[in-house]
Amino acid sequence: LIFGILAAFLGLIIIKPLVGLFAVEGELLSECMTYAYILLPAIPALMLQVMFQSFTVTAERPKFGLAITVFAGVTNFILDALFILVWHWGLSGAAWATVMSQIIGGIVPLLYFAFPNKSLLHLGKTKFYARSLVKSCTNGASEFMSSISVSLVEMLYNYQMLRLIGEKGVVAYGIISYVNFIFLAAFLGYSVGCNPIVGYHYGAGNKNELHNLLHKSLKFVSVAAVILTIIAEFSAHAIASIFIGYNEALTNETAYGFRIYAISFLFAGFNIYATAFFTALNNGLISAIIAFCRTLLFTSLCIIILPIFFGINGIWTAVIITEILTLIISFGFIIKLRPQYGY
């Protein structure tokens, strides 16, 4: 809550100068500020929502965590329809719908753990364990790097889109970005769900189980990667039509970009799992290195360099090159550290 409040306050201060860096003006600037001023104060609830997803898994209540996520998502969906389509609140309605869903996702599990319950965990009195908190933050450095890098890269993507093809490029990338997260959610969910299991067997010294988990996970990721890529390739135009079917030219352009972008699904799952795997092994440094390369270093370089030679196609292929380069690093660490962890 404390960090969430500080982050929200900082965001409200820097958002306008930050948007100014993109030379955004007119109606686009006005809408951007409206959305930000509604959304930013809800950051504490969002942080609670993310944190409690780990607690529900650790408390052996993953279905409860899933139910909260689904309920929050459905709330967002219903309120979007109500605020935008029925009450005509426009972009403000979209922002308020998101805020309400985040409040549900953060407050419901807080109340659940605040009182005695049937799970293994509930909130109670404690002391200030500085060393444990520092170790947790250090071990979670990869997730921190991933989150902040995604934001920076999104900004860089939008800047390049505005420069190359204008506002319609931002629309196309925005759609692809959201859909991309839906596809990658399969890898993210599996990796987060495996974390407590990997951590338990690592702590117990069950090297055979670590070996078994790693190999089964790599097989799952391989199959899922192929299936998701095929689905994305065949559904690209249909997905684009859901968002912007009223504009045929923009729909075709978005579908074309997504078909190229979706090739990255063949490699992304391995990198996502590798990051989570080393976090579970209490090796935050390696996890952070993989996350840094994947979400910031390689991505930024590809977004800046590739468009110089390939134009807009360089934007769409940037993520593919990024995932391939990161995959080399991920498997390099897995092979190199096998004797140390015995998996």
Side-chain angles (χ1 to χ4, degrees):
L1 283 172
I2 292 173
F3 276 110
I5 292 171
L6 292 175
F9 183 71
L10 178 63
L12 291 169
I13 292 176
I14 68 173
I15 184 62
K16 193 166 186 177
L18 197 60
V19 173
L21 294 176
F22 292 85
V24 176
E25 55 187 19
E27 184 179 0
L28 184 59
L29 174 61
S30 176
E31 296 282 19
C32 180
M33 299 310 300
T34 297
Y35 192 83
Y37 285 145
I38 296 173
L39 203 64
L40 287 174
I43 286 179
L46 175 61
M47 293 181 71
L48 286 175
Q49 180 180 7
V50 174
M51 180 184 70
F52 279 121
Q53 285 302 312
S54 294
F55 276 110
T56 54
V57 174
T58 307
E60 296 185 355
R61 288 293 183 273
K63 293 181 180 179
F64 175 64
L66 174 62
I68 294 172
T69 302
V70 171
F71 184 58
V74 171
T75 299
N76 195 348
F77 177 79
I78 293 175
L79 292 182
D80 268 333
L82 179 64
F83 294 162
I84 298 173
L85 299 179
V86 179
W87 293 353
H88 304 290
W89 287 6
L91 193 65
S92 297
W96 280 115
T98 301
V99 167
M100 295 303 295
S101 70
Q102 291 175 350
I103 290 175
I104 290 174
I107 300 302
V108 170
L110 174 63
L111 295 175
Y112 177 81
F113 286 114
F115 299 98
N117 54 73
K118 295 181 180 180
S119 75
L120 299 177
L121 301 176
H122 72 272
L123 295 172
K125 292 182 180 180
T126 184
K127 297 178 181 179
F128 184 75
Y129 294 97
R131 180 178 296 179
S132 297
L133 289 173
V134 170
K135 183 62 178 177
S136 296
C137 291
T138 303
N139 193 39
S142 60
E143 285 72 21
F144 170 79
M145 179 58 63
S146 295
S147 296
I148 198 169
S149 298
V150 165
S151 298
L152 293 172
V153 168
E154 292 270 332
M155 292 165 60
L156 187 56
Y157 261 115
N158 286 328
Y159 173 78
Q160 288 285 59
M161 285 297 186
L162 283 170
R163 185 180 65 85
L164 291 172
I165 54 177
E167 293 181 9
K168 68 177 183 178
V170 175
V171 173
Y173 175 71
I175 294 170
I176 292 174
S177 177
Y178 280 120
V179 175
N180 169 66
F181 184 79
I182 293 174
F183 278 85
L184 294 186
F187 300 124
L188 291 167
Y190 181 81
S191 299
V192 171
C194 283
N195 266 16
I197 305 173
V198 173
Y200 172 82
H201 288 296
Y202 168 64
N206 300 329
K207 295 183 178 181
N208 288 335
E209 284 300 322
L210 282 178
H211 175 84
N212 187 40
L213 279 168
L214 177 61
H215 280 254
K216 285 186 175 180
S217 295
L218 292 179
K219 290 179 182 178
F220 169 81
V221 171
S222 300
V223 174
V226 174
I227 293 175
L228 289 174
T229 303
I230 293 174
I231 293 174
E233 293 295 336
F234 282 97
S235 64
H237 193 275
I239 291 173
S241 297
I242 294 174
F243 295 93
I244 47 174
Y246 56 85
N247 188 321
E248 184 176 354
L250 187 53
T251 298
N252 292 333
E253 187 170 341
T254 303
Y256 171 77
F258 185 55
R259 287 193 180 99
I260 299 176
Y261 195 99
I263 297 174
S264 65
F265 298 158
L266 291 172
F267 316 103
F270 297 102
N271 296 322
I272 292 172
Y273 181 78
T275 302
F277 183 69
F278 283 111
T279 296
L281 292 176
N282 205 29
N283 196 329
L285 176 60
I286 298 300
S287 183
I289 291 174
I290 297 173
F292 173 74
C293 292
R294 175 177 179 262
T295 59
L296 186 60
L297 179 62
F298 293 152
T299 308
S300 299
L301 290 175
C302 288
I303 295 172
I304 294 172
I305 296 173
L306 292 181
I308 298 176
F309 302 98
F310 305 107
I312 189 64
N313 286 335
I315 294 289
W316 302 133
T317 57
V319 65
I320 303 173
I321 304 302
T322 294
E323 296 291 1
I324 292 174
L325 293 175
T326 308
L327 184 64
I328 296 172
I329 291 178
S330 296
F331 275 100
F333 279 126
I334 289 176
I335 294 171
K336 180 180 179 180
L337 297 177
R338 179 179 293 173
Q340 178 178 338
Y341 294 105
Y343 48 70

